[in-house]
Every structure is written in C-alpha cells, then in structure tokens.
C-alpha cells in the first residue's frame, strides 16, 4: 500500500474527560474489541492496561498519558489516554498538541464537569475535531438529554445526536442508530462482542423521527445538497449523511454524540466506527507550519516523501534505557541510525532505537513515517517541545506553553550520600514534566520543588521515595507567592571597579511602573547610542530579569511591572557586558524596594457539588477560607457552587468539606490568577518568612 493511501487509514486520537467519567475504561474496551488485549483490564481492580504506573493503580486515576495503537476495519488508530485530574492538565495539553482528533467522554450522571470544560477549551485552542461519548448510561441518575443540553450551554458546542439510549439506568440495553434507523443491543454473555440488530421499539419511534429531523436540519446548515433535499422533502441517503457529517465534524461545525456504558460493554463498537468515520486522518488536517532560520513561515505536508519534521511532546525516564522521547512525525521518515538536527538546542542527535508503543509494552521498529506516533531512544540533548528535522535543514514547530506551578514543598536528602541521588532524580523528573520546577532557597539552602497542586506533588514525592528509592525528608506544602510593585520609582546603579590596567564600568538609570495582573515583566530602552551603546542592552535586560527572580519583600519572583532604561553612561575602553549586568542588578533591587512592593498570592477556581441539605454548612466553611462565591447552580437537589479562594486557605480542603457535608460533597480546584494579598495577611506572611 502506498504511503498516501495508508496515511488516510490512520487516526491519531486522544480520549479526554473529567476525572471519573470513564476514559480509561472506555480505552480498555477499545483495546479489547480491536483485539489488542485478550482480556479486559479494570481500573477498579488496578489492572487497566493503560494505567500501568503503580501510583495510578493505587489511586484508580490516570496520571501520565499512555500511548497505544490498535486496528479497526483496516484503519490504524493511535490512541492517547489522557489524565482527567486538574493537577495533570499539562499532560492533556501536550497530548492534544500532537493529536488530530479526540473523543470527549462525559459521565451520563455528572454531565459536563469542570475538567471537561478545561480539556474542551484546550482542544478548541488547537482546533481539534471531536466526537462525544456519553458514558455510564447504566448508572442511577443517568440523563442523556441533560448532558447534551449541558454541552450546548457550558461548552458552547453544537452537538448532533446520532444515537438514542434504549432503556434507563439498570434497564439500559442498547442504542437506536439514527442514521441507519436500527436498534443495536449488546450481548452480555459474549461481553458485548456480539451485536444484535433489532427493529426500533414502538415506544421509541416518535423520538427517533424527531432526532432524525434535527440531524437533517443541522446538516442542511452546512451542506447545500442536503439543504436542497430538505426543502424539496426528498429522502436523504445514509451515504450523503455520513459524508456531510464527516465534513461538518472536520470543520468543527458539529460534534457527533454517541452513548453507551463502557463498563457494561455497550456501545463501544459504534464508537470505533465513528472514530474511523468522522475523525480526521493526518491528510485531513492542515499542513504543519513552523519557523525557518530567519523567522519565515515554512509548511510541511503530511507526506513520507517530504522533508522530516517531528515534535517531541514528552520525555519519560526509564529504568532500562536512558530516556524515552515520545514523538509525532508530521512529515518525512525517521530510520534507526539516522542523524537528525534539533534546531531549538542547535544540536545533532542520533536515532538509537525506534519504538511503537502499547502502554508500557514496546515493539521495536526500523522506521516511522509521517502521521506516526512513536518513541525514540538515544536522544542526548532534546527535551519536551523540541523539533527534530533532517541534518542541514531548519524548521522549528510551535512549542507548548506550560503554566506556572503554584505550590511548593521543601525537600532535603537525609544524608550527604543521598544528595547526589536526590539531585539527579529531581533533574530526571523535571525533564519528564515541564510543569514541575526545582529551585534552591539561598537563605536556608533547602531545595524547593513546585508543581500544579497537592496531588501533583504527592505523586512526585511518592515516585522519589518508592520508585527511585531516594532517602529524603519532605516538608509541608507551601504557596508559591509572587511580588509586584504598587508605585512608580526611579533609581540608578553604578559599577565602577578599577582593577589592574583595565577597569570595569557600567552605569544605568531605571524607572519602574506597575502593570496589570498577568502582564509579566516588560523591558524598554529609552536611551540613545551615545549614552549606552546598543550592544550592552542585552546584558542590562538579563541583569534586570535575573534579579527579579528574588523580590525585595521576601525573595519571591517579581512580576507585573514595566522597567524602562531612561539614562546611564559608559566609558569607551572600560564598559563591559558584565559591568552593565551588575549595575542593572543593583539598580533594579533599589528601585523595586522603593516602589512600594506588595505580595501576590495564587487564587484558585473551585467548583463544589453539594446536596441541598448541606449547602449552609458548606458555605460557612467556604467563607471562613476567604472565598468569594461567583455562582450557584441548582440541579435535581444538588447545588453546584463556583468560587474563588486563595490557595493558602485550601490545603486539606477535602477533609474539611467531607466533615461539613458528611462526605457527600465533592470539589475540583484549578489555578485562576494571582491577586494582591490583603495587607494584614501580607504582614503576617512576611513576618513569618523573615522569622520576626
């Protein structure tokens, strides 16, 4: 089969959802029905193929994105099962960056939950076509129509229903296929392998007719041929519907909606048919665009005969090999032994081994080509977000943005002998996980590790102690504060050192002004070449930015300010980049201290689902944590409360929420923004950190 033909038979998809919607269970069933697994692995037994990490099996959640490959009706489906917990949003982000399509799994009871919204927005940002699978139709409280309505209201999606569930809750037995006009039941004795085709039950006829009319009306908006037939009252063939639906899905106009129960083995084969039918092949997505040496735009088509372009979307440390680099090939071929170029690191790399992945099992291959997702062993310099291209070529594909970590803990080796092992292991984890940061506290000499949330750090510490066997003492979680300024100030820094024959001279005058939240640090130069030559501006900016890593209040990074270089001087033979770097560091420290510095804290976005009778107790508990309620929605005796609260008040919140609601409420929390700490609270924090 030629490459062009085989590319149209490939689907690179992700399974994404809120925690507990059943993503991993759905993926396990897909592997079973496509013959990838000979038996079904269950999450609740700790035996899911895709959740292979020890920490995943203990907690029954997905932490790392697992990649696998399977075949269905002569099409190859590469699947990435992504995490649902908000602390692992980065894992979802980097998976979506390299996928062509996605299946969004929704719980038929919970509907569109907070993390469903987050992953939906991420997919929206990357322009990824989606189909929706409403899972857990067998559960008490399952409500198909409510979830479809929530998709419209909460996600702004345009869902088009392709199946109607037959039977409710424990009576759920199958689906009515709206395009084919048939009912499909799934034989329980063969674990759903055998599909029984039936006529549509009489009491579902009206509902089927209404859903069919809605489908044709929606397609008529995007397909002129169907519009004509709709207006002329002429029947539309199934082939025309499939074609129009595929086009509308690829254009992000519609989201096909299916339903089933992965746990009860119902509805998975039609989902596989829809993945093949509606989601894009690498040929259906626009050519990949990157930047050339001079910043010019270069595009690469999904073709094995094109020049090589591949993106490293994840690095994984491994006990058997040095590092495993997960890659997506957008164009060209990659063969074992090839020498390639990493334009981001400006280094040459050699391809040691190439691997196709099935969770943590591997299959060595001689080559990968455009459209493939695989892994490389043997890369020395490359990290997450880097591009690989052919030697002598230059193209940098758009990398990924990773959010700032908001929570940190102090960690130190138990003995001198463990220090090297701790340092090496932390570097290994940081290479794998771009949302994990390591910093040294200069005052205490402690190592501070930071991450996206309590669970994120808990997992990292667990891996350090148990997987990597590092002996370390671990502190309590701490908030990653930031500092900013609240006034305008000016000041100068002069470095004038006469040593030996040649002196060192640098002199700058700086002005700082506050900016709005999340605007970062902006540097501008307003000096002429006669005052300070342009060749020193880079060193001045670097000196400023490096010094802003530790602010004047308590040493946290300074952000949201504009720094202007408004004056200074130089001496022809004595001014150096080093001297200007030192003088600008001196100036910025003085000037930020004079600009009325203030403390910023991370504010979290919280969504709490709570039964009516506990609303009062839950609200009282929330208000005691300096939380601001931003919305309350009621839904069948359940209240959904949205609030913003400082992270410092939310440690151990799951325990206090459980005791306020007798364990019947649940919550999700994710970073929203940085905001000013109230003065009295800020003084308290400053005194505590300074040890006053």
């Amino acid at each position: 089969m030629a490459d062009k033909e085989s590319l149209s038979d490939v689907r690179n998809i992700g399974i994404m959802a809120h925690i507990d919607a059943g993503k991993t269970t759905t993926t396990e069933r897909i592997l079973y029905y496509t013959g990838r697994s000979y038996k079904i692995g269950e999450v609740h037994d700790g035996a899911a193929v895709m959740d292979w990490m020890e920490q995943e099996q203990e907690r029954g959640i997905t932490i790392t994105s697992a990649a696998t490959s399977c075949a269905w009706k002569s099409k190859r489906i590469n699947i990435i099962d992504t995490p649902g917990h908000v602390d692992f949003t980065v894992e979802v982000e980097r998976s979506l960056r390299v996928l062509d399509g996605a299946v969004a799994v929704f719980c038929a009871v919970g509907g569109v939950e907070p993390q469903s919204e987050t992953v939906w927005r991420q997919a929206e940002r990357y322009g990824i076509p989606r189909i929706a699978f409403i899972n857990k139709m067998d559960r008490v409280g399952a409500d198909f129509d409510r979830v479809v309505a929530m998709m419209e209201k909460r996600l702004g999606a345009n869902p088009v229903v392709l199946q109607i569930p037959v039977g409710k809750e424990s009576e759920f037995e199958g689906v009515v296929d709206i395009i084919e006009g048939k009912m499909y039941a799934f034989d329980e004795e063969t674990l759903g392998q055998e599909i029984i085709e039936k006529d549509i039950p009489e009491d579902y006829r009206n509902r089927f007719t209404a859903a069919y009319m809605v489908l044709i009306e929606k397609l008529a908006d995007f397909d002129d041929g169907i519009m004509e037939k709709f207006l002329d009252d002429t029947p539309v063939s199934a082939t025309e519907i499939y074609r129009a639906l595929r086009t509308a899905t690829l254009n992000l106009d519609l989201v096909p909606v299916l339903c089933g129960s992965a746990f009860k083995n119902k509805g998975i084969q039609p989902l596989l048919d829809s993945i093949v039918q509606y989601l894009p092949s690498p040929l259906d997505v626009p050519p990949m665009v990157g930047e050339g040496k001079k910043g010019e735009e270069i595009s690469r088509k999904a073709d094995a005969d094109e020049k090589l372009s591949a993106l490293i979307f994840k690095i994984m440390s491994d006990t058997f090999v040095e590092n495993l680099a997960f890659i997506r090939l957008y164009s060209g071929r990659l063969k074992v032994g090839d020498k390639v170029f990493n334009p981001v690191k400006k280094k040459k790399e050699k391809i040691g081994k190439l691997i196709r992945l099935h969770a943590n099992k591997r299959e060595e291959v001689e080559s990968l080509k455009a459209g493939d997702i695989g892994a490389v062993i043997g890369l020395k310099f490359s990290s997450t977000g880097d591009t690989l291209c052919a030697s002598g070529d230059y193209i940098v594909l758009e990398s990924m943005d990773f959010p700032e970590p908001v929570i940190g803990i102090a960690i130190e080796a138990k003995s001198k002998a463990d220090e090297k092992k701790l340092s090496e292991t932390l570097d290994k984890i940081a290479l794998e996980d771009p949302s994990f940061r390591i910093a040294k506290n200069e005052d205490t000499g402690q190592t501070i590790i930071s991450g996206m949330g309590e669970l994120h750090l808990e997992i990292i510490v667990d891996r350090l102690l148990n997987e990597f066997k590092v002996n370390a003492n671990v502190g309590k979680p701490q908030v990653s504060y930031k500092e900013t300024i609240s006034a305008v100030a000016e000041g100068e820094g002069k470095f004038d050192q006469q040593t030996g024959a040649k002196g060192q001279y640098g002199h700058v005058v700086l002005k700082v002004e506050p900016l709005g939240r999340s605007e970062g640090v902006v540097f501008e130069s307003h000096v002429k070449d006669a005052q300070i030559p342009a060749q020193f501006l880079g060193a001045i900016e670097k000196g400023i930015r490096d010094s802003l890593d530790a602010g004047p209040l308590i040493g946290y990074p300074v952000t949201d300010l504009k720094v202007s270089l408004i004056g200074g001087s130089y001496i022809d033979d004595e001014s150096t980049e080093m001297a200007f770097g030192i003088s600008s560091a001196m100036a910025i420290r003085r000037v930020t201290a004079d600009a009325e510095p203030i403390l910023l804290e991370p504010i979290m976005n919280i969504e709490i689902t709570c039964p009516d009778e506990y609303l009062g107790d839950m609200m009282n508990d929330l208000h005691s944590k300096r939380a601001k309620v931003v919305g309350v929605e009621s839904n069948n005796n359940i209240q959904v409360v949205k609030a913003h609260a400082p992270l410092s008040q939310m440690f151990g919140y799951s325990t206090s929420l459980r005791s306020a609601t007798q364990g019947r409420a649940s919550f999700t929390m994710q970073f929203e923004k940085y905001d000013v700490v109230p003065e009295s609270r800020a003084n308290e924090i400053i005194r505590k950190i300074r040890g006053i």
Side-chain angles (χ1 to χ4, degrees):
M1 197 185 271
D3 279 322
K4 281 259 161 79
E5 290 171 296
S6 61
L7 262 185
S8 66
D9 292 333
V10 173
R11 301 288 180 273
N12 289 316
I13 66 153
I15 310 276
M16 60 185 210
H18 183 88
I19 191 167
D20 252 2
K23 288 179 314 308
T24 301
T25 307
T26 304
T27 312
E28 293 298 326
R29 297 312 186 266
I30 287 173
L31 297 182
Y32 179 66
Y33 294 125
T34 56
R36 240 315 178 177
S37 302
Y38 66 91
K39 71 181 181 61
I40 292 175
E42 297 295 8
V43 173
H44 57 85
D45 293 336
V49 175
M50 300 299 275
D51 284 349
W52 54 272
M53 275 174 75
E54 196 179 302
Q55 291 84 354
E56 295 177 310
Q57 291 168 359
E58 275 173 20
R59 292 170 175 81
I61 62 168
T62 301
I63 294 166
T64 60
S65 305
T68 190
S69 190
C70 58
W72 182 255
K73 296 191 175 170
S74 77
K75 303 277 191 279
R76 180 154 58 77
I77 305 174
N78 295 321
I79 303 171
I80 294 186
D81 174 27
T82 61
H85 195 286
V86 69
D87 281 13
F88 305 103
T89 304
V90 167
E91 278 290 326
V92 185
E93 180 86 20
R94 57 183 174 184
S95 303
L96 288 175
R97 170 68 179 83
V98 296
L99 293 171
D100 301 327
V103 176
V105 179
F106 298 99
C107 170
V109 183
V112 176
E113 297 170 279
Q115 190 61 6
S116 324
E117 292 187 52
T118 307
V119 293
W120 193 269
R121 306 269 173 260
Q122 286 172 312
E124 205 93 294
R125 191 163 65 245
Y126 289 120
I128 292 174
R130 278 141 281 172
I131 55 181
F133 180 65
I134 299 176
N135 190 25
K136 302 194 178 186
M137 288 305 306
D138 59 310
R139 288 269 297 276
V140 175
D143 188 336
F144 179 78
D145 295 333
R146 177 177 153 263
V147 182
V148 175
M150 284 176 89
M151 285 177 68
E152 287 182 340
K153 187 179 165 195
R154 280 197 168 195
L155 303 176
N158 189 0
V160 56
V161 172
L162 302 188
Q163 292 175 348
I164 301 168
V166 176
K168 271 195 93 167
E169 300 174 350
S170 60
E171 303 294 306
F172 174 65
E173 56 173 307
V175 297
V176 169
D177 185 310
I178 291 167
I179 301 175
E180 297 293 339
K182 294 185 180 108
M183 177 191 160
Y184 298 123
F186 303 85
D187 181 37
E188 294 191 15
E189 283 184 21
T190 61
L191 293 178
Q193 287 271 31
E194 197 182 317
I195 301 173
I196 303 148
E197 200 177 290
K198 301 179 176 181
D199 288 334
I200 298 170
E202 208 48 54
D203 47 347
Y204 281 83
R205 285 248 154 228
N206 290 343
R207 200 171 162 198
F208 159 72
T209 308
Y212 182 79
M213 287 314 295
V214 170
L215 170 64
I216 298 299
E217 272 179 50
K218 283 199 171 187
L219 287 176
D221 288 341
F222 307 106
D223 188 286
D224 292 343
I226 290 181
M227 172 65 88
E228 276 178 40
K229 290 196 168 186
F230 175 66
L231 294 173
D232 295 344
D233 233 358
T234 316
V236 182
S237 71
T239 310
E240 289 173 293
I241 295 175
Y242 285 127
R243 182 183 43 74
L245 203 43
R246 177 175 176 77
T247 305
T249 306
L250 296 184
N251 292 339
L252 307 179
D253 293 324
L254 292 173
V255 179
V257 181
L258 300 101
C259 63
S261 165
F263 183 56
K264 290 285 170 69
N265 311 309
K266 292 175 182 173
I268 301 299
Q269 295 95 324
L271 174 62
L272 279 161
D273 290 341
S274 297
I275 288 170
V276 165
Q277 184 79 250
Y278 308 121
L279 291 182
S281 77
L283 296 176
D284 295 315
V285 294
M288 183 44 62
V289 174
E291 243 182 42
K293 222 172 215 166
K294 295 174 184 152
E296 74 277 20
E297 199 174 275
I298 302 173
S299 70
R300 292 268 193 272
K301 290 202 301 288
D303 188 335
D305 298 329
E306 270 262 22
K307 284 182 179 174
L308 172 70
S309 69
L311 184 78
I312 299 170
F313 66 97
K314 179 175 175 172
I315 299 278
M316 200 169 86
S317 293
D318 191 276
T319 26
F320 304 109
V321 293
E322 276 176 37
N323 277 322
L324 209 57
F326 287 63
I327 60 164
R328 161 76 197 258
L329 261 77
Y330 287 102
S331 59
R333 292 176 187 274
L334 200 53
K335 294 197 284 293
V336 172
D338 277 358
K339 287 190 173 68
V340 294
F341 180 58
N342 178 336
V344 180
K345 299 284 192 294
K346 300 188 171 37
K347 297 275 190 186
K348 287 192 173 170
E349 294 271 27
K350 188 174 180 189
I351 305 300
K353 285 181 183 173
L354 289 173
I355 280 169
R356 255 196 225 296
L357 296 141
H358 175 49
N360 66 335
K361 295 186 181 68
R362 291 145 196 187
E363 176 192 331
E364 274 194 46
V365 289
E366 280 306 303
S367 68
L368 293 171
K369 63 178 186 307
D372 281 341
I373 289 176
V376 182
I377 295 173
L379 301 183
K380 295 273 187 289
F381 311 103
S382 303
S383 53
T384 300
D386 287 358
T387 303
L388 294 179
C389 59
S391 281
D393 192 21
Y394 192 103
I395 178 172
V396 177
L397 302 176
E398 186 196 347
S399 189
M400 294 163 268
D401 291 328
F402 298 114
E404 287 286 312
V406 293
I407 181 170
I409 52 176
I411 189 163
E412 56 189 16
K414 280 189 177 170
S415 68
K416 263 278 183 251
D418 289 312
E419 273 179 17
K420 186 166 183 275
K421 192 174 182 186
L422 174 65
S423 168
E424 284 173 357
T425 308
L426 288 175
D427 288 343
K428 234 181 197 184
I429 294 173
L431 189 64
E432 281 185 28
D433 184 350
S435 63
F436 170 68
R437 307 280 159 84
I438 311 159
K440 199 92 169 158
N441 184 321
E442 296 305 330
D443 300 333
T444 63
Q446 282 178 315
T447 299
I448 306 289
I449 58 173
S450 306
M452 302 304 295
E454 282 185 275
L455 181 64
H456 187 198
L457 286 182
E458 189 189 306
I459 301 284
I460 283 167
V461 168
D462 193 342
R463 288 188 68 196
L464 269 175
L465 305 179
N466 299 320
E467 186 184 324
F468 294 103
K469 303 284 186 281
V470 174
N471 292 315
N473 295 317
V474 181
K476 286 197 170 76
Q478 306 162 342
V479 177
S480 292
Y481 292 102
K482 286 192 178 180
E483 298 179 22
T484 190
I485 56 169
S486 58
V488 177
E490 290 181 17
E492 66 174 351
K494 186 182 276 189
F495 183 72
D496 186 1
Q497 198 176 53
Q498 300 303 318
T499 50
K502 192 172 184 300
Q504 292 269 4
Y505 181 86
H507 171 223
V508 297
V509 182
L510 301 179
K511 176 183 175 185
V512 292
E513 304 162 68
L515 292 178
R517 293 294 75 88
S518 303
E519 289 195 38
V521 177
V522 176
F523 172 75
E524 287 180 2
S525 170
H526 299 285
V527 296
K528 294 192 165 61
D529 249 20
Q531 261 180 301
I532 298 173
Q535 72 206 56
F536 296 121
L537 294 183
I540 291 169
E541 183 173 358
K542 187 175 185 307
I544 289 166
R545 288 188 184 274
D546 288 352
S547 293
L548 290 174
D549 284 346
L553 281 175
I554 40 177
Y556 281 101
V558 185
T559 187
D560 300 341
L561 78 163
K562 180 176 164 187
V563 184
S564 302
L565 176 64
I566 55 170
S569 59
Y570 82 107
I571 297 172
D572 234 346
D573 293 331
E574 296 185 1
S575 287
T576 61
E577 287 191 357
M578 187 184 90
F580 271 110
I582 294 169
S583 62
S584 51
M586 290 159 63
I588 195 70
R589 276 199 288 271
R590 280 180 199 149
V591 80
T592 49
D594 292 342
E596 296 174 22
I598 51 175
L599 203 57
L600 299 175
E601 63 183 344
I603 303 294
M604 308 306 279
N605 187 358
I606 306 149
E607 185 160 314
I608 304 150
T609 307
C610 169
D612 278 348
E613 62 264 40
Y614 299 108
L615 185 64
D617 292 342
M618 186 272 287
M619 286 289 214
N620 289 337
D621 181 52
L622 205 52
H623 287 309
S624 73
K625 300 186 183 308
R626 292 199 283 130
K628 284 183 191 152
V629 174
V630 292
V632 181
E633 272 179 36
S634 184
N635 172 33
N636 293 342
N637 306 326
I638 295 287
Q639 300 289 338
V640 179
V641 178
K642 294 184 177 185
H644 292 160
L647 174 62
S648 58
Q649 303 292 304
M650 297 307 291
F651 291 136
Y653 180 59
S654 52
T655 311
S656 70
L657 181 65
R658 268 200 299 272
S659 58
T661 62
Q662 295 185 10
R664 292 186 55 203
S666 62
F667 80 105
T668 60
M669 179 167 79
Q670 66 192 92
F671 174 68
E672 174 70 17
K673 60 181 178 182
Y674 270 90
D675 213 344
V676 179
V677 181
E679 197 177 343
S680 60
R681 173 85 184 123
N683 292 335
E684 204 180 295
I685 295 165
I686 292 164
R687 279 198 301 275
K688 188 177 170 189
I689 290 176
R690 285 181 181 167
I692 299 169

